[in-house]
């Protein structure tokens, strides 16, 4: 059985550089927690990985959207 605290949610995003990461960081830090997320800007899909506890996919999509970016859940 998967522990919710060990779950990693993945999203395809349009966050593509360090400046973009800096812009979205306050929203994601507030929602997911500092150090609980990362963006692979080297990936063509700019994958955002969020180490989830109680946060939902919808909450992440909303937080990223509030920073002016898009996030689309990726199926495992």
């Amino acid at each position: 059985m998967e522990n919710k605290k060990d779950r990693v949610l993945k999203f395809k995003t349009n966050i593509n550089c360090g400046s973009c990461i800096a812009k979205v960081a306050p929203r994601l830090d507030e929602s997911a927690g500092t150090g609980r997320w990362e963006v692979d800007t080297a990936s063509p899909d700019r994958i955002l990985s969020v180490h989830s506890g109680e946060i939902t996919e919808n909450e992440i999509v909303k937080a990223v959207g509030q920073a002016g970016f898009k996030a689309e859940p990726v199926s495992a």
Side-chain angles (χ1 to χ4, degrees):
M1 185 165 131
E2 184 178 317
N3 183 340
K4 272 190 163 185
K5 293 183 184 197
D6 296 335
R7 187 173 60 152
V8 177
L9 302 175
K10 294 192 181 273
F11 302 84
K12 181 178 177 180
T13 72
N14 62 343
I15 300 168
N16 59 14
C17 67
S19 182
C20 297
I21 291 171
K23 187 173 179 182
V24 78
R27 300 283 185 177
L28 286 174
D29 286 347
E30 182 180 324
S31 298
T34 303
R36 303 286 301 159
W37 61 273
E38 61 193 14
V39 179
D40 181 1
T41 56
S43 164
D45 290 333
R46 312 297 194 253
I47 299 297
L48 164 65
S49 300
V50 179
H51 301 272
S52 173
E54 298 299 319
I55 195 162
T56 67
E57 286 183 343
N58 288 339
E59 290 170 318
I60 295 296
V61 170
K62 181 179 177 183
V64 171
Q66 288 172 336
F69 297 94
K70 295 179 183 176
E72 177 182 317
V74 176
S75 301

Coordinates of all heavy atoms in Angstrom, one line a residue:
M1 N 0.8 -1.2 0.0 CA 0.0 0.0 0.0 C 0.9 1.2 0.0 O 1.8 1.4 0.7 CB -0.9 0.0 1.2 CG -1.9 1.1 1.3 SD -3.1 0.7 2.5 CE -3.1 2.2 3.4
E2 N 0.6 2.2 -0.9 CA 1.4 3.4 -1.0 C 1.0 4.4 0.1 O -0.1 4.7 0.4 CB 1.1 4.0 -2.4 CG 1.9 5.2 -2.7 CD 1.6 5.8 -4.1 OE1 1.5 5.0 -5.0 OE2 1.5 7.0 -4.2
N3 N 2.1 4.9 0.7 CA 1.9 6.0 1.7 C 1.7 7.3 1.1 O 2.5 7.7 0.2 CB 3.1 5.9 2.6 CG 3.0 6.9 3.8 OD1 2.3 7.9 3.7 ND2 3.8 6.7 4.8
K4 N 0.7 8.1 1.4 CA 0.5 9.4 0.8 C 1.7 10.3 0.9 O 2.0 11.1 0.0 CB -0.7 10.1 1.4 CG -2.0 9.7 0.8 CD -3.1 10.6 1.3 CE -4.3 10.6 0.4 NZ -5.3 11.5 0.8
K5 N 2.4 10.2 2.0 CA 3.6 11.1 2.1 C 4.7 10.7 1.2 O 5.6 11.5 0.9 CB 4.1 11.0 3.6 CG 3.1 11.6 4.5 CD 3.6 11.7 5.9 CE 2.5 12.2 6.8 NZ 2.8 12.7 8.1
D6 N 4.7 9.5 0.6 CA 5.8 9.1 -0.3 C 5.4 9.2 -1.8 O 6.1 9.0 -2.6 CB 6.1 7.6 0.0 CG 6.7 7.3 1.3 OD1 7.3 8.3 1.9 OD2 6.5 6.2 1.8
R7 N 4.2 9.7 -2.0 CA 3.6 9.8 -3.4 C 4.3 11.0 -4.1 O 4.5 12.1 -3.5 CB 2.1 10.0 -3.3 CG 1.4 10.0 -4.6 CD -0.1 10.0 -4.4 NE -0.5 11.2 -3.7 CZ -1.6 11.8 -3.8 NH1 -2.5 11.3 -4.6 NH2 -1.9 12.9 -3.1
V8 N 4.6 10.8 -5.3 CA 5.2 11.9 -6.1 C 4.2 12.2 -7.3 O 3.9 11.3 -8.1 CB 6.6 11.6 -6.7 CG1 7.1 12.7 -7.6 CG2 7.5 11.3 -5.6
L9 N 3.7 13.4 -7.3 CA 2.8 13.8 -8.4 C 3.7 14.5 -9.5 O 4.6 15.3 -9.2 CB 1.8 14.8 -7.9 CG 0.9 14.4 -6.7 CD1 0.0 15.5 -6.2 CD2 0.0 13.2 -7.2
K10 N 3.4 14.2 -10.8 CA 4.1 14.7 -11.9 C 3.2 15.5 -12.8 O 2.1 15.1 -13.1 CB 4.9 13.6 -12.6 CG 5.9 12.9 -11.7 CD 6.8 12.1 -12.6 CE 7.9 11.4 -11.7 NZ 9.0 12.2 -11.5
F11 N 3.8 16.6 -13.3 CA 3.0 17.5 -14.2 C 3.9 18.0 -15.4 O 5.0 18.3 -15.2 CB 2.6 18.7 -13.4 CG 1.7 18.4 -12.2 CD1 2.4 18.1 -11.0 CD2 0.4 18.5 -12.3 CE1 1.6 17.8 -9.9 CE2 -0.4 18.2 -11.2 CZ 0.2 17.9 -10.0
K12 N 3.3 18.0 -16.5 CA 3.9 18.6 -17.7 C 3.6 20.1 -17.6 O 2.5 20.5 -17.3 CB 3.3 18.1 -19.0 CG 3.9 18.6 -20.2 CD 3.3 18.0 -21.4 CE 3.8 18.6 -22.7 NZ 3.3 18.0 -23.9
T13 N 4.7 21.0 -17.7 CA 4.5 22.4 -17.5 C 5.1 23.2 -18.6 O 5.8 22.7 -19.5 CB 5.2 22.9 -16.2 OG1 6.6 22.8 -16.3 CG2 4.7 22.0 -15.0
N14 N 4.9 24.5 -18.5 CA 5.6 25.4 -19.4 C 6.6 26.3 -18.6 O 7.0 27.4 -19.0 CB 4.7 26.3 -20.2 CG 3.8 27.2 -19.3 OD1 3.7 27.0 -18.1 ND2 3.2 28.2 -19.9
I15 N 7.1 25.8 -17.5 CA 8.1 26.4 -16.6 C 9.4 26.0 -17.3 O 9.8 24.8 -17.2 CB 8.0 25.9 -15.2 CG1 6.6 26.2 -14.6 CG2 9.1 26.5 -14.3 CD1 6.3 25.6 -13.3
N16 N 10.1 26.9 -17.9 CA 11.3 26.5 -18.7 C 12.6 27.1 -18.4 O 13.6 26.9 -19.1 CB 11.0 26.7 -20.2 CG 10.7 28.1 -20.5 OD1 10.9 29.0 -19.7 ND2 10.1 28.3 -21.7
C17 N 12.7 27.9 -17.3 CA 14.0 28.5 -17.0 C 14.1 28.8 -15.5 O 13.1 28.7 -14.8 CB 14.3 29.7 -17.8 SG 13.2 31.1 -17.4
G18 N 15.3 29.2 -15.0 CA 15.5 29.6 -13.6 C 14.6 30.7 -13.2 O 14.1 30.8 -12.1
S19 N 14.4 31.7 -14.1 CA 13.6 32.9 -13.8 C 12.1 32.4 -13.6 O 11.4 32.9 -12.7 CB 13.7 33.9 -14.9 OG 12.9 35.0 -14.7
C20 N 11.7 31.5 -14.4 CA 10.3 31.0 -14.3 C 10.2 30.2 -13.0 O 9.1 30.4 -12.3 CB 10.0 30.0 -15.4 SG 10.0 30.7 -17.1
I21 N 11.2 29.4 -12.6 CA 11.1 28.7 -11.4 C 11.1 29.7 -10.2 O 10.3 29.5 -9.3 CB 12.4 27.8 -11.2 CG1 12.2 26.6 -12.2 CG2 12.5 27.2 -9.8 CD1 13.5 25.8 -12.4
A22 N 11.8 30.8 -10.3 CA 11.8 31.8 -9.2 C 10.4 32.4 -9.1 O 10.0 32.7 -8.0 CB 12.8 32.8 -9.5
K23 N 9.7 32.6 -10.2 CA 8.4 33.2 -10.2 C 7.3 32.2 -9.6 O 6.5 32.7 -8.8 CB 8.0 33.5 -11.6 CG 6.7 34.3 -11.7 CD 6.4 34.8 -13.1 CE 5.1 35.6 -13.1 NZ 4.7 36.0 -14.4
V24 N 7.5 30.9 -9.8 CA 6.5 30.0 -9.3 C 6.8 29.5 -7.9 O 5.9 29.0 -7.2 CB 6.3 28.8 -10.3 CG1 7.4 27.8 -10.2 CG2 5.0 28.1 -10.1
A25 N 8.1 29.7 -7.5 CA 8.5 29.1 -6.2 C 7.7 29.6 -5.0 O 7.3 28.7 -4.2 CB 10.0 29.5 -6.0
P26 N 7.4 30.8 -4.9 CA 6.6 31.2 -3.7 C 5.2 30.5 -3.6 O 4.8 30.1 -2.5 CB 6.3 32.7 -3.9 CG 7.5 33.2 -4.7 CD 7.7 32.0 -5.6
R27 N 4.6 30.3 -4.7 CA 3.3 29.6 -4.8 C 3.4 28.1 -4.4 O 2.7 27.6 -3.6 CB 2.6 29.7 -6.1 CG 2.4 31.1 -6.6 CD 1.2 31.7 -5.9 NE 0.9 33.0 -6.4 CZ -0.1 33.7 -6.1 NH1 -1.0 33.3 -5.2 NH2 -0.3 34.9 -6.6
L28 N 4.4 27.5 -5.0 CA 4.6 26.0 -4.8 C 5.2 25.8 -3.3 O 4.8 24.8 -2.7 CB 5.6 25.4 -5.8 CG 4.9 25.2 -7.2 CD1 6.0 24.8 -8.2 CD2 3.8 24.2 -7.1
D29 N 6.0 26.7 -2.9 CA 6.5 26.6 -1.5 C 5.4 26.6 -0.5 O 5.3 25.9 0.5 CB 7.6 27.6 -1.2 CG 8.9 27.4 -1.8 OD1 9.2 26.3 -2.3 OD2 9.7 28.3 -1.8
E30 N 4.4 27.5 -0.8 CA 3.3 27.7 0.1 C 2.4 26.5 0.0 O 1.8 26.0 1.1 CB 2.5 29.0 -0.3 CG 1.3 29.3 0.6 CD 0.6 30.5 0.2 OE1 1.2 31.5 -0.2 OE2 -0.7 30.5 0.3
S31 N 2.1 26.0 -1.2 CA 1.2 24.9 -1.3 C 1.8 23.5 -1.0 O 1.2 22.7 -0.3 CB 0.8 24.8 -2.8 OG 0.1 26.0 -3.1
A32 N 3.0 23.2 -1.5 CA 3.6 21.9 -1.3 C 4.6 21.8 -0.2 O 4.9 20.8 0.4 CB 4.3 21.5 -2.6
G33 N 5.2 23.0 0.1 CA 6.3 23.0 1.1 C 7.6 23.2 0.4 O 7.9 22.7 -0.6
T34 N 8.5 24.0 1.1 CA 9.8 24.3 0.6 C 10.6 23.0 0.5 O 10.6 22.2 1.4 CB 10.5 25.2 1.5 OG1 9.7 26.4 1.6 CG2 11.9 25.6 1.0
G35 N 11.2 22.8 -0.7 CA 12.0 21.6 -0.9 C 11.2 20.3 -1.2 O 11.8 19.2 -1.3
R36 N 9.9 20.5 -1.4 CA 9.1 19.3 -1.7 C 8.7 19.2 -3.2 O 7.9 18.4 -3.6 CB 7.8 19.4 -0.9 CG 8.0 19.5 0.6 CD 8.4 18.2 1.3 NE 7.4 17.2 1.0 CZ 7.6 15.9 1.1 NH1 8.8 15.5 1.4 NH2 6.7 15.0 0.9
W37 N 9.3 20.1 -4.0 CA 9.0 20.0 -5.5 C 10.3 20.4 -6.3 O 11.2 21.0 -5.7 CB 7.9 21.0 -5.8 CG 8.2 22.4 -5.4 CD1 8.1 23.0 -4.2 CD2 8.8 23.4 -6.3 NE1 8.5 24.3 -4.3 CE2 9.0 24.6 -5.5 CE3 9.3 23.4 -7.6 CZ2 9.5 25.8 -6.0 CZ3 9.8 24.6 -8.1 CH2 9.9 25.7 -7.3
E38 N 10.3 20.0 -7.5 CA 11.4 20.4 -8.4 C 10.9 20.3 -9.9 O 9.9 19.7 -10.2 CB 12.6 19.4 -8.3 CG 12.2 18.0 -8.6 CD 13.2 17.0 -8.1 OE1 14.1 17.4 -7.3 OE2 13.2 15.8 -8.6
V39 N 11.5 21.1 -10.7 CA 11.2 21.2 -12.1 C 12.4 20.7 -12.9 O 13.5 21.3 -12.7 CB 10.8 22.6 -12.6 CG1 10.4 22.6 -14.1 CG2 9.6 23.1 -11.8
D40 N 12.2 19.8 -13.8 CA 13.3 19.3 -14.7 C 13.2 20.1 -16.0 O 12.5 19.8 -16.9 CB 13.1 17.8 -15.0 CG 14.2 17.3 -15.9 OD1 15.1 18.1 -16.3 OD2 14.2 16.1 -16.2
T41 N 13.9 21.3 -16.0 CA 13.9 22.1 -17.2 C 14.7 21.6 -18.4 O 14.5 22.0 -19.5 CB 14.4 23.5 -16.9 OG1 15.8 23.4 -16.3 CG2 13.5 24.3 -15.9
A42 N 15.5 20.5 -18.2 CA 16.2 19.9 -19.2 C 15.2 18.9 -20.0 O 15.5 18.6 -21.2 CB 17.4 19.1 -18.7
S43 N 14.2 18.5 -19.4 CA 13.2 17.6 -20.1 C 12.4 18.4 -21.1 O 12.0 19.6 -20.8 CB 12.3 17.0 -19.0 OG 11.1 16.5 -19.6
P44 N 12.1 17.9 -22.3 CA 11.2 18.6 -23.2 C 9.8 18.9 -22.7 O 9.2 19.9 -23.1 CB 11.1 17.7 -24.4 CG 12.2 16.6 -24.2 CD 12.5 16.6 -22.8
D45 N 9.4 18.1 -21.7 CA 8.0 18.4 -21.1 C 8.1 19.2 -19.9 O 7.1 19.5 -19.3 CB 7.4 17.0 -20.8 CG 7.0 16.3 -22.1 OD1 6.7 16.9 -23.1 OD2 6.9 15.0 -22.1
R46 N 9.3 19.6 -19.5 CA 9.5 20.5 -18.3 C 8.7 19.9 -17.1 O 7.7 20.5 -16.6 CB 9.0 21.9 -18.5 CG 9.5 22.6 -19.8 CD 11.0 22.7 -19.8 NE 11.5 23.6 -20.8 CZ 12.1 23.2 -21.9 NH1 12.3 21.9 -22.2 NH2 12.5 24.1 -22.8
I47 N 9.0 18.7 -16.7 CA 8.3 18.0 -15.7 C 8.5 18.5 -14.3 O 9.6 18.7 -13.8 CB 8.7 16.5 -15.7 CG1 8.4 15.8 -17.0 CG2 8.0 15.7 -14.5 CD1 6.9 15.8 -17.4
L48 N 7.4 18.9 -13.7 CA 7.3 19.3 -12.3 C 7.0 18.1 -11.4 O 6.0 17.4 -11.7 CB 6.2 20.4 -12.1 CG 5.8 20.7 -10.7 CD1 6.9 21.3 -9.8 CD2 4.5 21.6 -10.7
S49 N 7.8 17.8 -10.5 CA 7.6 16.7 -9.5 C 7.3 17.3 -8.2 O 8.1 18.1 -7.7 CB 8.8 15.8 -9.5 OG 9.1 15.2 -10.7
V50 N 6.2 16.8 -7.6 CA 5.8 17.3 -6.2 C 5.8 16.1 -5.3 O 5.0 15.2 -5.6 CB 4.5 18.1 -6.3 CG1 4.1 18.5 -4.9 CG2 4.5 19.2 -7.3
H51 N 6.5 16.2 -4.2 CA 6.5 15.1 -3.2 C 5.3 15.4 -2.3 O 5.3 16.4 -1.5 CB 7.8 15.1 -2.5 CG 9.0 14.8 -3.4 ND1 9.4 13.6 -3.7 CD2 9.7 15.7 -4.1 CE1 10.4 13.6 -4.5 NE2 10.6 14.9 -4.8
S52 N 4.3 14.7 -2.5 CA 3.0 15.0 -2.0 C 2.8 14.4 -0.6 O 3.1 13.2 -0.3 CB 1.9 14.4 -2.9 OG 0.6 14.5 -2.3
G53 N 2.1 15.1 0.2 CA 1.6 14.6 1.5 C 0.1 14.7 1.3 O -0.5 13.7 0.9
E54 N -0.5 15.8 1.7 CA -1.9 15.9 1.6 C -2.4 16.8 0.4 O -3.6 16.9 0.2 CB -2.4 16.6 2.9 CG -2.2 15.7 4.1 CD -2.8 14.4 4.1 OE1 -4.0 14.3 3.6 OE2 -2.2 13.4 4.5
I55 N -1.4 17.3 -0.4 CA -1.8 18.2 -1.5 C -2.3 17.4 -2.7 O -1.9 16.3 -2.9 CB -0.6 19.1 -1.9 CG1 -1.1 20.2 -2.8 CG2 0.5 18.2 -2.5 CD1 -0.1 21.3 -2.9
T56 N -3.3 18.0 -3.3 CA -3.9 17.3 -4.5 C -3.4 17.9 -5.8 O -2.8 18.9 -5.8 CB -5.5 17.5 -4.4 OG1 -5.8 18.9 -4.7 CG2 -6.1 17.1 -3.1
E57 N -3.7 17.1 -6.9 CA -3.3 17.6 -8.2 C -3.9 18.9 -8.5 O -3.3 19.8 -9.1 CB -3.7 16.6 -9.3 CG -2.8 15.3 -9.3 CD -3.2 14.4 -10.4 OE1 -4.3 14.5 -11.0 OE2 -2.4 13.5 -10.7
N58 N -5.2 19.1 -8.2 CA -5.9 20.3 -8.4 C -5.3 21.5 -7.7 O -5.2 22.6 -8.3 CB -7.4 20.2 -8.1 CG -8.2 19.4 -9.0 OD1 -7.7 19.1 -10.1 ND2 -9.3 18.9 -8.6
E59 N -4.8 21.3 -6.5 CA -4.1 22.4 -5.7 C -2.8 22.8 -6.4 O -2.5 24.0 -6.4 CB -3.9 22.0 -4.3 CG -5.2 21.8 -3.5 CD -5.0 21.2 -2.1 OE1 -4.3 20.2 -2.0 OE2 -5.6 21.7 -1.2
I60 N -2.1 21.8 -6.9 CA -0.8 22.1 -7.6 C -1.1 22.9 -8.9 O -0.5 23.9 -9.2 CB 0.0 20.9 -7.9 CG1 0.4 20.2 -6.6 CG2 1.2 21.2 -8.8 CD1 1.4 21.0 -5.8
V61 N -2.1 22.4 -9.7 CA -2.4 23.1 -11.0 C -2.9 24.5 -10.7 O -2.5 25.5 -11.4 CB -3.6 22.3 -11.7 CG1 -4.1 23.1 -12.9 CG2 -3.0 21.0 -12.2
K62 N -3.6 24.7 -9.6 CA -4.1 26.1 -9.2 C -2.9 27.0 -8.8 O -2.8 28.1 -9.2 CB -5.1 26.0 -8.1 CG -5.6 27.3 -7.6 CD -6.6 27.2 -6.5 CE -7.1 28.5 -6.0 NZ -8.0 28.4 -4.9
A63 N -2.0 26.4 -8.0 CA -0.8 27.2 -7.5 C 0.1 27.6 -8.7 O 0.5 28.8 -8.8 CB 0.0 26.4 -6.5
V64 N 0.3 26.7 -9.6 CA 1.1 27.0 -10.8 C 0.4 28.0 -11.7 O 1.0 29.0 -12.2 CB 1.4 25.7 -11.6 CG1 2.1 26.0 -12.9 CG2 2.3 24.8 -10.8
G65 N -0.9 27.9 -11.8 CA -1.7 28.8 -12.6 C -1.7 30.2 -12.0 O -1.6 31.2 -12.8
Q66 N -1.7 30.3 -10.7 CA -1.7 31.6 -10.1 C -0.3 32.4 -10.3 O -0.3 33.6 -10.3 CB -1.9 31.5 -8.6 CG -3.3 31.1 -8.2 CD -3.5 30.8 -6.8 OE1 -2.6 30.4 -6.1 NE2 -4.8 31.0 -6.3
A67 N 0.7 31.6 -10.6 CA 2.0 32.2 -10.9 C 2.1 32.5 -12.4 O 3.2 33.0 -12.9 CB 3.1 31.3 -10.5
G68 N 1.1 32.2 -13.2 CA 1.1 32.5 -14.6 C 1.6 31.4 -15.5 O 1.9 31.6 -16.7
F69 N 1.6 30.2 -15.0 CA 2.1 29.0 -15.8 C 1.0 28.0 -15.9 O 0.0 28.0 -15.2 CB 3.4 28.5 -15.2 CG 4.5 29.4 -15.2 CD1 4.8 30.2 -14.1 CD2 5.3 29.6 -16.3 CE1 5.8 31.2 -14.1 CE2 6.3 30.5 -16.3 CZ 6.6 31.3 -15.3
K70 N 1.3 27.0 -16.7 CA 0.3 25.8 -16.9 C 1.0 24.6 -16.3 O 2.2 24.4 -16.5 CB 0.0 25.6 -18.4 CG -0.7 26.8 -19.0 CD -1.0 26.5 -20.4 CE -1.7 27.7 -21.0 NZ -1.9 27.6 -22.5
A71 N 0.1 23.7 -15.8 CA 0.6 22.4 -15.3 C -0.5 21.4 -15.6 O -1.7 21.6 -15.4 CB 0.8 22.4 -13.8
E72 N -0.1 20.3 -16.3 CA -1.1 19.2 -16.6 C -0.6 17.9 -16.0 O 0.6 17.5 -16.3 CB -1.1 19.2 -18.2 CG -1.9 18.1 -18.7 CD -1.8 18.0 -20.2 OE1 -1.8 19.1 -20.9 OE2 -1.7 16.9 -20.8
P73 N -1.4 17.3 -15.2 CA -1.0 16.0 -14.6 C -0.5 15.0 -15.7 O -1.1 14.9 -16.8 CB -2.3 15.5 -13.9 CG -3.1 16.7 -13.7 CD -2.8 17.6 -14.9
V74 N 0.5 14.3 -15.3 CA 1.1 13.2 -16.2 C 0.7 11.9 -15.6 O 0.9 11.7 -14.4 CB 2.6 13.3 -16.3 CG1 3.2 12.2 -17.1 CG2 3.0 14.7 -16.9
S75 N 0.1 11.0 -16.4 CA -0.2 9.7 -15.9 C 1.0 8.9 -15.6 O 2.0 9.0 -16.3 CB -1.0 8.9 -16.9 OG -2.2 9.6 -17.2
A76 N 1.0 8.1 -14.6 CA 2.2 7.3 -14.2 C 2.5 6.2 -15.2 O 1.8 5.8 -15.9 CB 1.9 6.6 -12.8

